[in-house]
Amino acid sequence: MDYGVEIKKVDKQGRIILPLDWRKEELKDNDEVFIIKEKGVLKIIPKKKPDLTKYFDSVDLGVDFIEEWEEFEREFYEIS
């Protein structure tokens, strides 16, 4: 995907065509974007589902190892 500036025409209904390589790379199977309006600027950001799995190992439960999940769960909820 090339990065840079492109000049696009805006039709009478206010539509523009997003670059094909950007759509393929950023949108993939999704067809929704966020449009952020600022003074003199529009930002188009692809709407993506966040990958929550990258946070799984970052949670500190205060234990080194969980042998019995039910026991851990019982103690965890008693403390909370």
Side-chain angles (χ1 to χ4, degrees):
M1 180 170 70
D2 293 329
Y3 295 95
V5 176
E6 292 186 34
I7 297 176
K8 297 285 188 172
K9 297 258 185 198
V10 179
D11 72 8
K12 292 179 181 179
Q13 284 81 31
R15 298 176 292 201
I16 60 170
I17 296 175
L18 300 173
L20 179 61
D21 60 340
W22 185 86
R23 293 191 324 251
K24 284 183 177 179
E25 181 70 25
E26 299 295 332
L27 293 179
K28 296 184 175 59
D29 295 329
N30 193 4
D31 63 353
E32 292 184 302
V33 296
F34 294 106
I35 298 179
I36 300 171
K37 297 186 291 185
E38 297 177 359
K39 184 173 177 138
V41 176
L42 286 178
K43 294 181 183 178
I44 300 172
I45 301 172
K47 182 178 175 186
K48 297 180 182 177
K49 291 182 180 179
D51 179 17
L52 300 178
T53 60
K54 66 182 179 183
Y55 300 109
F56 285 0
D57 292 335
S58 67
V59 176
D60 183 10
L61 299 175
V63 296
D64 294 328
F65 181 72
I66 300 172
E67 287 185 33
E68 295 291 328
W69 180 256
E70 291 176 359
E71 181 182 333
F72 168 78
E73 201 173 35
R74 188 171 35 257
E75 289 181 25
F76 179 80
Y77 287 117
E78 286 177 9
I79 294 170
S80 295

Coordinates of all heavy atoms in Angstrom, one line a residue:
M1 N 0.9 -1.2 0.0 CA 0.0 0.0 0.0 C 0.9 1.2 0.0 O 1.8 1.4 0.8 CB -0.9 0.0 1.2 CG -1.8 1.2 1.3 SD -3.1 1.1 2.6 CE -2.2 1.2 4.0
D2 N 0.6 2.1 -0.9 CA 1.4 3.4 -1.0 C 0.8 4.4 0.0 O -0.4 4.4 0.3 CB 1.3 4.0 -2.4 CG 2.0 3.1 -3.4 OD1 3.0 2.5 -3.1 OD2 1.6 3.1 -4.6
Y3 N 1.7 5.2 0.6 CA 1.3 6.2 1.5 C 1.5 7.5 0.8 O 2.5 7.7 0.0 CB 2.1 6.2 2.8 CG 1.9 4.9 3.6 CD1 2.7 3.8 3.5 CD2 0.8 4.8 4.4 CE1 2.5 2.6 4.2 CE2 0.5 3.7 5.2 CZ 1.4 2.6 5.0 OH 1.2 1.4 5.7
G4 N 0.7 8.5 1.1 CA 0.9 9.8 0.5 C -0.4 10.6 0.4 O -1.4 10.3 1.1
V5 N -0.4 11.5 -0.5 CA -1.5 12.4 -0.7 C -2.1 12.1 -2.1 O -1.4 11.9 -3.1 CB -1.1 13.8 -0.7 CG1 -2.3 14.8 -1.0 CG2 -0.5 14.2 0.7
E6 N -3.4 12.0 -2.1 CA -4.1 11.8 -3.4 C -5.2 12.9 -3.5 O -5.8 13.3 -2.5 CB -4.8 10.5 -3.5 CG -3.9 9.3 -3.6 CD -4.7 8.0 -3.8 OE1 -5.7 8.0 -4.5 OE2 -4.2 7.0 -3.3
I7 N -5.4 13.4 -4.7 CA -6.5 14.4 -4.9 C -7.6 13.6 -5.5 O -7.5 12.9 -6.5 CB -6.0 15.5 -5.9 CG1 -4.8 16.3 -5.3 CG2 -7.1 16.4 -6.3 CD1 -4.2 17.3 -6.1
K8 N -8.8 13.8 -4.9 CA -10.0 13.1 -5.3 C -11.1 14.2 -5.6 O -11.2 15.2 -4.9 CB -10.5 12.2 -4.2 CG -9.6 11.0 -3.9 CD -9.6 10.0 -5.0 CE -8.8 8.8 -4.6 NZ -9.0 7.7 -5.6
K9 N -12.0 13.9 -6.5 CA -13.1 14.7 -6.7 C -14.3 14.3 -5.8 O -14.4 13.1 -5.5 CB -13.6 14.5 -8.2 CG -12.6 15.0 -9.2 CD -13.0 16.3 -9.7 CE -12.0 16.7 -10.9 NZ -12.1 18.1 -11.2
V10 N -15.1 15.3 -5.4 CA -16.2 15.0 -4.6 C -17.4 15.2 -5.5 O -17.6 16.3 -6.1 CB -16.3 16.0 -3.4 CG1 -17.6 15.7 -2.5 CG2 -15.1 15.9 -2.5
D11 N -18.3 14.2 -5.6 CA -19.5 14.3 -6.5 C -20.5 15.2 -5.8 O -20.4 15.7 -4.7 CB -20.0 13.0 -6.9 CG -20.7 12.2 -5.8 OD1 -21.0 12.7 -4.7 OD2 -21.1 11.0 -6.1
K12 N -21.6 15.4 -6.5 CA -22.7 16.4 -6.1 C -23.4 15.9 -4.8 O -24.0 16.7 -4.1 CB -23.7 16.6 -7.2 CG -23.1 17.4 -8.4 CD -24.1 17.6 -9.5 CE -23.4 18.3 -10.6 NZ -24.3 18.5 -11.7
Q13 N -23.3 14.6 -4.5 CA -23.9 14.1 -3.3 C -22.9 14.0 -2.2 O -23.2 13.6 -1.1 CB -24.4 12.6 -3.5 CG -25.7 12.6 -4.3 CD -25.5 12.7 -5.8 OE1 -24.5 12.3 -6.3 NE2 -26.5 13.3 -6.5
G14 N -21.7 14.5 -2.4 CA -20.7 14.6 -1.3 C -19.9 13.3 -1.2 O -19.2 13.1 -0.2
R15 N -19.9 12.4 -2.2 CA -19.2 11.2 -2.1 C -17.8 11.3 -2.7 O -17.6 12.0 -3.6 CB -20.0 10.1 -2.8 CG -21.3 9.8 -2.2 CD -22.1 8.8 -3.0 NE -22.4 9.4 -4.3 CZ -23.4 9.0 -5.1 NH1 -24.1 7.9 -4.8 NH2 -23.6 9.5 -6.3
I16 N -16.9 10.5 -2.1 CA -15.5 10.3 -2.7 C -15.3 8.8 -2.8 O -16.0 8.0 -2.2 CB -14.4 11.0 -1.9 CG1 -14.4 10.3 -0.5 CG2 -14.6 12.5 -1.8 CD1 -13.2 10.7 0.4
I17 N -14.3 8.4 -3.6 CA -13.9 7.0 -3.7 C -12.7 6.8 -2.9 O -11.7 7.5 -3.2 CB -13.7 6.6 -5.2 CG1 -15.1 6.8 -6.0 CG2 -13.2 5.2 -5.3 CD1 -15.0 6.5 -7.4
L18 N -12.7 5.9 -2.0 CA -11.5 5.6 -1.2 C -10.6 4.7 -2.0 O -11.1 3.9 -2.8 CB -12.0 4.8 0.1 CG -12.9 5.6 1.0 CD1 -13.4 4.7 2.2 CD2 -12.2 6.8 1.6
P19 N -9.3 4.9 -1.9 CA -8.3 4.2 -2.7 C -8.5 2.6 -2.5 O -8.7 2.2 -1.3 CB -7.0 4.6 -2.2 CG -7.3 6.0 -1.6 CD -8.6 5.9 -1.0
L20 N -8.5 1.9 -3.5 CA -8.7 0.4 -3.5 C -7.7 -0.3 -2.6 O -8.1 -1.1 -1.8 CB -8.6 -0.2 -4.9 CG -8.8 -1.7 -5.0 CD1 -10.2 -2.1 -4.5 CD2 -8.6 -2.1 -6.4
D21 N -6.4 0.1 -2.7 CA -5.4 -0.6 -1.9 C -5.6 -0.3 -0.4 O -5.5 -1.2 0.5 CB -4.0 -0.2 -2.3 CG -3.7 1.3 -2.2 OD1 -4.6 2.1 -2.1 OD2 -2.5 1.6 -2.1
W22 N -6.1 0.9 0.0 CA -6.4 1.2 1.4 C -7.6 0.4 1.8 O -7.6 -0.2 2.9 CB -6.8 2.7 1.5 CG -7.0 3.1 2.9 CD1 -6.0 3.5 3.8 CD2 -8.2 3.2 3.6 NE1 -6.6 3.8 5.0 CE2 -8.0 3.6 4.9 CE3 -9.5 3.0 3.3 CZ2 -9.0 3.8 5.9 CZ3 -10.5 3.1 4.2 CH2 -10.2 3.6 5.5
R23 N -8.7 0.3 1.0 CA -9.8 -0.5 1.3 C -9.5 -2.0 1.6 O -9.9 -2.6 2.5 CB -10.9 -0.4 0.3 CG -11.5 1.0 0.2 CD -12.8 1.0 -0.7 NE -12.7 0.2 -1.9 CZ -12.6 0.6 -3.1 NH1 -12.5 1.9 -3.4 NH2 -12.7 -0.3 -4.1
K24 N -8.6 -2.5 0.7 CA -8.3 -3.9 0.8 C -7.4 -4.2 2.1 O -7.6 -5.1 2.8 CB -7.4 -4.4 -0.4 CG -8.3 -4.6 -1.6 CD -7.4 -5.1 -2.7 CE -8.3 -5.4 -4.0 NZ -7.4 -5.9 -5.1
E25 N -6.5 -3.3 2.4 CA -5.7 -3.4 3.6 C -6.4 -3.1 4.9 O -6.2 -3.8 5.9 CB -4.4 -2.5 3.4 CG -3.4 -2.6 4.5 CD -2.7 -3.9 4.6 OE1 -2.6 -4.6 3.5 OE2 -2.2 -4.3 5.7
E26 N -7.1 -2.0 4.9 CA -7.7 -1.5 6.2 C -9.1 -2.0 6.5 O -9.4 -2.3 7.6 CB -7.7 0.0 6.2 CG -6.3 0.6 6.1 CD -5.4 0.3 7.3 OE1 -5.9 0.1 8.4 OE2 -4.2 0.3 7.1
L27 N -9.9 -2.1 5.4 CA -11.3 -2.5 5.7 C -11.5 -4.1 5.6 O -12.3 -4.6 6.3 CB -12.2 -1.9 4.6 CG -12.4 -0.4 4.7 CD1 -13.3 0.1 3.6 CD2 -12.9 0.1 6.1
K28 N -10.7 -4.7 4.8 CA -10.8 -6.2 4.6 C -12.3 -6.6 4.4 O -12.9 -6.2 3.4 CB -10.2 -6.9 5.7 CG -8.7 -6.7 5.8 CD -8.0 -7.5 6.9 CE -6.5 -7.3 6.9 NZ -5.9 -6.1 7.0
D29 N -12.9 -7.3 5.3 CA -14.3 -7.7 5.1 C -15.3 -6.8 5.7 O -16.5 -7.0 5.7 CB -14.5 -9.1 5.7 CG -13.7 -10.2 5.0 OD1 -13.5 -10.0 3.8 OD2 -13.3 -11.2 5.7
N30 N -14.9 -5.7 6.4 CA -15.7 -4.8 7.0 C -16.1 -3.6 6.1 O -15.2 -3.3 5.2 CB -15.1 -4.2 8.3 CG -16.0 -3.5 9.2 OD1 -17.2 -3.4 8.9 ND2 -15.5 -2.9 10.2
D31 N -17.2 -3.0 6.2 CA -17.6 -1.9 5.3 C -18.0 -0.7 6.1 O -18.6 0.2 5.5 CB -18.7 -2.3 4.3 CG -20.0 -2.7 5.0 OD1 -20.0 -2.8 6.2 OD2 -21.0 -2.9 4.3
E32 N -17.6 -0.6 7.4 CA -17.9 0.5 8.2 C -16.7 1.3 8.6 O -15.6 0.7 8.8 CB -18.7 0.1 9.5 CG -20.0 -0.5 9.2 CD -20.8 -0.8 10.5 OE1 -20.2 -1.6 11.3 OE2 -21.8 -0.2 10.7
V33 N -16.8 2.6 8.6 CA -15.7 3.5 9.0 C -16.2 4.5 10.0 O -17.4 4.8 10.1 CB -15.0 4.2 7.8 CG1 -14.4 3.2 6.9 CG2 -16.0 5.1 7.1
F34 N -15.3 5.0 10.8 CA -15.7 6.2 11.7 C -15.2 7.4 10.9 O -14.1 7.4 10.3 CB -14.9 6.2 13.0 CG -15.2 5.0 13.9 CD1 -14.4 4.0 14.1 CD2 -16.4 5.1 14.6 CE1 -14.7 2.9 14.9 CE2 -16.8 4.0 15.5 CZ -15.9 2.9 15.6
I35 N -16.1 8.4 10.9 CA -15.7 9.7 10.2 C -15.7 10.7 11.4 O -16.7 11.0 12.0 CB -16.7 10.1 9.1 CG1 -16.7 9.1 8.0 CG2 -16.3 11.5 8.6 CD1 -17.6 9.4 6.9
I36 N -14.5 11.3 11.6 CA -14.3 12.3 12.7 C -14.2 13.6 12.0 O -13.3 13.9 11.1 CB -13.0 11.9 13.5 CG1 -13.2 10.5 14.1 CG2 -12.8 13.0 14.5 CD1 -11.9 10.0 14.7
K37 N -15.1 14.5 12.4 CA -15.1 15.9 11.8 C -14.3 16.8 12.8 O -14.6 16.9 14.0 CB -16.5 16.4 11.7 CG -17.3 15.5 10.7 CD -18.7 16.2 10.4 CE -19.6 16.0 11.7 NZ -21.0 16.5 11.5
E38 N -13.4 17.5 12.2 CA -12.7 18.5 12.9 C -12.7 19.8 12.0 O -12.9 19.6 10.8 CB -11.2 18.1 13.2 CG -11.2 16.9 14.2 CD -9.7 16.4 14.4 OE1 -8.8 17.0 13.9 OE2 -9.6 15.5 15.2
K39 N -12.3 20.9 12.5 CA -12.3 22.1 11.7 C -11.3 21.9 10.6 O -10.1 21.8 10.7 CB -11.9 23.3 12.6 CG -12.0 24.6 11.8 CD -11.8 25.8 12.7 CE -11.8 27.0 11.8 NZ -12.5 28.1 12.3
G40 N -11.9 21.9 9.4 CA -11.1 21.9 8.1 C -10.6 20.5 7.8 O -9.8 20.3 6.8
V41 N -10.9 19.5 8.6 CA -10.4 18.1 8.4 C -11.4 17.0 8.6 O -12.3 17.2 9.5 CB -9.2 17.8 9.4 CG1 -8.7 16.4 9.2 CG2 -8.1 18.9 9.2
L42 N -11.5 16.0 7.8 CA -12.2 14.8 8.0 C -11.2 13.7 8.2 O -10.3 13.5 7.3 CB -13.2 14.5 6.8 CG -14.4 15.3 6.7 CD1 -15.2 14.9 5.4 CD2 -15.3 15.2 7.9
K43 N -11.4 12.9 9.2 CA -10.5 11.7 9.4 C -11.4 10.5 9.2 O -12.5 10.4 9.7 CB -10.0 11.6 10.8 CG -9.0 12.7 11.1 CD -8.4 12.6 12.5 CE -7.5 13.8 12.8 NZ -6.9 13.7 14.2
I44 N -11.0 9.5 8.3 CA -11.7 8.3 8.1 C -10.9 7.2 8.7 O -9.7 6.9 8.3 CB -11.8 8.1 6.6 CG1 -12.6 9.3 5.9 CG2 -12.5 6.8 6.3 CD1 -12.7 9.2 4.4
I45 N -11.5 6.5 9.7 CA -10.8 5.5 10.4 C -11.6 4.2 10.3 O -12.8 4.2 10.6 CB -10.7 5.8 11.9 CG1 -9.9 7.2 12.0 CG2 -10.0 4.7 12.7 CD1 -9.8 7.7 13.4
P46 N -11.0 3.1 9.9 CA -11.8 1.8 9.7 C -12.3 1.3 11.1 O -11.5 1.4 12.1 CB -10.7 0.9 9.1 CG -9.4 1.5 9.3 CD -9.6 2.9 9.5
K47 N -13.5 0.9 11.1 CA -14.1 0.3 12.3 C -13.6 -1.2 12.4 O -13.9 -1.9 11.5 CB -15.6 0.4 12.3 CG -16.3 -0.1 13.5 CD -17.8 0.0 13.4 CE -18.4 -0.6 14.6 NZ -19.9 -0.6 14.5
K48 N -12.9 -1.5 13.4 CA -12.4 -2.9 13.6 C -12.8 -3.4 15.0 O -12.9 -2.6 15.9 CB -10.8 -2.9 13.5 CG -10.3 -2.4 12.1 CD -8.8 -2.5 12.1 CE -8.3 -2.0 10.8 NZ -6.8 -2.0 10.8
K49 N -12.9 -4.7 15.0 CA -13.2 -5.3 16.3 C -11.8 -5.4 17.0 O -10.8 -5.8 16.5 CB -13.8 -6.7 16.2 CG -15.2 -6.7 15.6 CD -15.7 -8.1 15.5 CE -17.1 -8.1 15.0 NZ -17.7 -9.4 14.9
P50 N -11.8 -5.0 18.3 CA -10.5 -5.0 19.0 C -10.1 -6.5 19.3 O -11.0 -7.3 19.5 CB -10.8 -4.3 20.3 CG -12.3 -4.4 20.5 CD -12.9 -4.4 19.1
D51 N -8.8 -6.7 19.3 CA -8.3 -8.1 19.6 C -8.0 -8.1 21.1 O -7.0 -7.7 21.6 CB -7.0 -8.3 18.8 CG -6.4 -9.7 19.2 OD1 -7.1 -10.5 19.8 OD2 -5.2 -9.9 18.8
L52 N -9.0 -8.6 21.9 CA -8.9 -8.6 23.3 C -7.9 -9.7 23.8 O -7.5 -9.6 25.0 CB -10.3 -8.8 24.0 CG -11.3 -7.7 23.6 CD1 -12.6 -8.0 24.3 CD2 -10.8 -6.3 24.1
T53 N -7.6 -10.6 23.0 CA -6.7 -11.7 23.4 C -5.3 -11.2 23.8 O -4.6 -11.8 24.6 CB -6.6 -12.8 22.4 OG1 -6.0 -12.2 21.2 CG2 -7.9 -13.5 22.1
K54 N -4.9 -10.1 23.2 CA -3.6 -9.5 23.5 C -3.5 -9.0 25.0 O -2.4 -8.8 25.5 CB -3.2 -8.4 22.6 CG -4.0 -7.2 22.6 CD -3.5 -6.2 21.6 CE -4.3 -4.9 21.6 NZ -3.9 -4.0 20.5
Y55 N -4.6 -8.9 25.7 CA -4.7 -8.4 27.0 C -4.8 -9.6 28.0 O -4.7 -9.3 29.2 CB -5.8 -7.4 27.3 CG -5.7 -6.2 26.4 CD1 -6.6 -6.0 25.3 CD2 -4.7 -5.2 26.6 CE1 -6.5 -4.9 24.5 CE2 -4.6 -4.1 25.8 CZ -5.5 -3.9 24.8 OH -5.4 -2.8 24.0
F56 N -5.0 -10.8 27.6 CA -5.2 -11.9 28.5 C -4.1 -12.1 29.5 O -4.3 -12.3 30.6 CB -5.5 -13.2 27.7 CG -6.9 -13.2 27.1 CD1 -7.8 -12.2 27.2 CD2 -7.2 -14.3 26.4 CE1 -9.0 -12.3 26.6 CE2 -8.5 -14.4 25.8 CZ -9.4 -13.4 25.9
D57 N -2.9 -12.1 29.0 CA -1.7 -12.3 29.9 C -1.3 -11.1 30.7 O -0.4 -11.2 31.5 CB -0.5 -12.8 29.0 CG -0.8 -14.2 28.4 OD1 -1.6 -14.9 29.0 OD2 -0.2 -14.5 27.4
S58 N -1.9 -10.0 30.5 CA -1.5 -8.8 31.2 C -2.3 -8.6 32.5 O -2.0 -7.8 33.3 CB -1.7 -7.5 30.4 OG -3.1 -7.3 30.1
V59 N -3.3 -9.5 32.8 CA -4.1 -9.4 34.0 C -3.4 -10.1 35.1 O -3.0 -11.3 34.9 CB -5.5 -10.0 33.8 CG1 -6.3 -10.0 35.1 CG2 -6.3 -9.2 32.7
D60 N -3.1 -9.5 36.2 CA -2.5 -10.1 37.3 C -3.5 -10.5 38.4 O -4.2 -9.6 39.0 CB -1.5 -9.1 38.0 CG -0.7 -9.7 39.1 OD1 -0.8 -11.0 39.3 OD2 0.0 -9.0 39.8
L61 N -3.7 -11.8 38.5 CA -4.7 -12.3 39.5 C -4.1 -12.5 40.9 O -4.8 -12.9 41.8 CB -5.3 -13.6 39.0 CG -6.0 -13.5 37.6 CD1 -6.4 -14.9 37.2 CD2 -7.2 -12.6 37.7
G62 N -2.8 -12.2 41.1 CA -2.2 -12.4 42.4 C -1.8 -13.8 42.7 O -1.6 -14.1 43.9
V63 N -1.8 -14.7 41.7 CA -1.4 -16.1 42.0 C -0.4 -16.5 40.9 O -0.4 -15.9 39.8 CB -2.6 -17.0 42.0 CG1 -3.5 -16.7 43.2 CG2 -3.3 -17.0 40.7
D64 N 0.4 -17.5 41.3 CA 1.4 -18.0 40.3 C 0.7 -19.1 39.4 O 1.0 -19.2 38.2 CB 2.6 -18.5 41.0 CG 3.4 -17.4 41.7 OD1 3.4 -16.3 41.2 OD2 4.0 -17.7 42.7
F65 N -0.1 -19.9 40.0 CA -0.7 -21.0 39.3 C -2.0 -21.3 39.9 O -2.2 -21.3 41.1 CB 0.3 -22.2 39.4 CG -0.2 -23.4 38.7 CD1 -0.1 -23.5 37.3 CD2 -0.6 -24.5 39.4 CE1 -0.6 -24.6 36.6 CE2 -1.0 -25.7 38.7 CZ -1.0 -25.7 37.4
I66 N -3.0 -21.7 39.1 CA -4.3 -22.1 39.5 C -4.5 -23.6 39.3 O -4.5 -24.0 38.2 CB -5.4 -21.3 38.8 CG1 -5.2 -19.8 39.0 CG2 -6.8 -21.7 39.2 CD1 -6.1 -18.9 38.1
E67 N -4.6 -24.3 40.4 CA -4.7 -25.8 40.3 C -6.2 -26.1 40.2 O -6.6 -26.9 39.3 CB -4.1 -26.5 41.5 CG -2.6 -26.5 41.5 CD -2.0 -27.3 42.6 OE1 -2.6 -28.3 43.0 OE2 -1.0 -26.9 43.1
E68 N -7.0 -25.6 41.1 CA -8.4 -25.9 41.1 C -9.2 -24.6 40.8 O -9.3 -23.7 41.6 CB -8.9 -26.4 42.5 CG -8.3 -27.8 42.9 CD -8.8 -28.9 42.0 OE1 -10.0 -28.8 41.6 OE2 -8.0 -29.8 41.7
W69 N -9.8 -24.5 39.6 CA -10.4 -23.3 39.2 C -11.6 -23.0 40.1 O -11.8 -21.8 40.4 CB -10.9 -23.5 37.7 CG -11.6 -22.2 37.3 CD1 -12.9 -22.0 37.1 CD2 -10.9 -21.0 37.0 NE1 -13.1 -20.7 36.7 CE2 -11.9 -20.1 36.6 CE3 -9.6 -20.5 37.0 CZ2 -11.7 -18.7 36.3 CZ3 -9.4 -19.2 36.6 CH2 -10.4 -18.3 36.3
E70 N -12.4 -24.0 40.5 CA -13.6 -23.7 41.3 C -13.2 -23.1 42.6 O -13.8 -22.2 43.1 CB -14.4 -25.0 41.5 CG -15.1 -25.4 40.2 CD -15.9 -26.7 40.4 OE1 -15.8 -27.3 41.5 OE2 -16.5 -27.1 39.4
E71 N -12.1 -23.6 43.2 CA -11.6 -23.1 44.5 C -11.1 -21.7 44.3 O -11.4 -20.8 45.1 CB -10.5 -24.0 45.0 CG -10.0 -23.5 46.4 CD -8.8 -24.4 46.8 OE1 -8.8 -25.6 46.5 OE2 -8.0 -23.9 47.6
F72 N -10.4 -21.4 43.3 CA -9.9 -20.1 43.0 C -11.0 -19.1 42.8 O -11.0 -18.0 43.4 CB -9.0 -20.1 41.7 CG -8.7 -18.7 41.3 CD1 -7.7 -17.9 41.9 CD2 -9.4 -18.2 40.2 CE1 -7.5 -16.6 41.5 CE2 -9.1 -16.9 39.7 CZ -8.2 -16.1 40.4
E73 N -12.0 -19.5 42.0 CA -13.2 -18.7 41.8 C -13.9 -18.3 43.0 O -14.3 -17.2 43.3 CB -14.1 -19.4 40.8 CG -15.0 -18.5 40.0 CD -15.7 -19.2 38.9 OE1 -16.1 -20.4 39.1 OE2 -16.0 -18.6 37.9
R74 N -14.1 -19.3 43.9 CA -14.8 -19.1 45.2 C -14.0 -18.1 46.0 O -14.6 -17.2 46.6 CB -14.9 -20.5 45.9 CG -15.8 -20.4 47.1 CD -16.1 -21.8 47.7 NE -15.0 -22.8 47.6 CZ -15.0 -23.8 46.7 NH1 -16.0 -24.0 45.9 NH2 -14.0 -24.7 46.7
E75 N -12.7 -18.3 46.2 CA -11.9 -17.4 47.0 C -11.9 -16.0 46.3 O -11.9 -15.0 47.0 CB -10.5 -17.9 47.1 CG -10.5 -19.1 48.1 CD -9.0 -19.6 48.2 OE1 -8.1 -18.8 48.1 OE2 -8.9 -20.8 48.5
F76 N -11.8 -15.9 45.0 CA -11.7 -14.6 44.3 C -13.0 -13.8 44.6 O -12.9 -12.6 44.9 CB -11.6 -14.9 42.8 CG -11.5 -13.6 42.0 CD1 -10.3 -12.9 42.0 CD2 -12.6 -13.2 41.3 CE1 -10.3 -11.7 41.2 CE2 -12.6 -12.0 40.6 CZ -11.4 -11.3 40.5
Y77 N -14.2 -14.5 44.5 CA -15.4 -13.7 44.7 C -15.7 -13.4 46.1 O -16.4 -12.4 46.4 CB -16.6 -14.5 44.1 CG -16.6 -14.4 42.6 CD1 -16.4 -15.5 41.8 CD2 -16.7 -13.2 41.9 CE1 -16.4 -15.5 40.4 CE2 -16.7 -13.1 40.5 CZ -16.5 -14.3 39.8 OH -16.5 -14.2 38.4
E78 N -15.1 -14.2 47.1 CA -15.3 -13.8 48.5 C -14.5 -12.6 48.8 O -14.9 -11.8 49.6 CB -14.8 -15.0 49.4 CG -15.8 -16.2 49.4 CD -15.3 -17.4 50.2 OE1 -14.2 -17.2 50.9 OE2 -15.9 -18.4 50.1
I79 N -13.3 -12.4 48.2 CA -12.5 -11.3 48.5 C -13.0 -10.0 47.8 O -13.0 -9.0 48.4 CB -11.0 -11.6 48.0 CG1 -10.4 -12.7 48.8 CG2 -10.2 -10.3 48.1 CD1 -9.1 -13.2 48.3
S80 N -13.6 -10.2 46.6 CA -14.0 -9.0 45.9 C -15.2 -8.3 46.5 O -16.0 -8.7 47.2 CB -14.4 -9.4 44.5 OG -13.3 -9.9 43.8

